Amino acid sequence: MKRAFMSELAIVRTLVPSIAGVGLFIFVVLTAVRASNGDSDMSAAGAFAISAMSPIMAMTSLAGLDNQNGWERYRATLPISRKDIVSARYLCITIFSVIMTCAAVLLSIVAIPILNSVGIPSTGETVFETAIASAISMLFSLMAVFLVLPLFFRFEHMKAQRLSVGLYALYMCLIMVTLNSFNPISNQLMSVIAGANPDPSVLGFLCAGIAVLVLALCAVSCTVSTKVYQVRDL
């Protein structure tokens, strides 16, 4: 497991500059646009976006590298079990997503005094609310990643990408239906996005509940990925 994780980590290190650059660009653009519209929670919007996109970008980037230069076939010849390869991929994506979310929240906090110094006051979310909302964004994105990851272990890259589009669409529809069916949950999430003052305790319990759901989905998805990857002919 350690060898597989270090292998994944070495690949992720090469991806960090490009993913971080894209994230920083999105943060600056969203912050500038919302600030120009007079939104007080402009820096928080960038943190939400970075947190949501990080798991998907990590997954697609790693899957794309697997498909390049025969790396996936070469890795299969190494003394690393396929189970360890799958587990390391899940662990690496999760850790990378958590780090990016923490970085996004920190960037949002740093941006507040900078914006204040140029005459753009921020009176939106508190640090706690921004951190929790960013974590929830990351968790929702991780659920989507865990749903489609078995496809990338079962099929070649392009076919998995085509199939994952349908799963993403289905997932988004399911999320929208769920939020519409449970008004207290959707109200808390929308209040954060709108810059209102949600109940911190409710927001914390909501984040914890989603995290438990994500962990359960991760366990199921990892088991399925392991089974399909072990029988796949590389």
Side-chain angles (χ1 to χ4, degrees), residues 169-181:
L170 182 62
Y171 171 75
M172 291 305 299
C173 291
L174 181 62
I175 290 297
M176 294 305 296
V177 170
T178 302
L179 291 179
N180 288 333
S181 301

Side-chain angles (χ1 to χ4, degrees), residues 18-32 46 49-50 53 107:
S18 58
I19 295 179
V22 171
L24 181 61
F25 174 77
I26 292 176
F27 180 89
V28 171
V29 169
L30 282 178
T31 301
I50 294 175
M53 77 174 193
L107 189 61

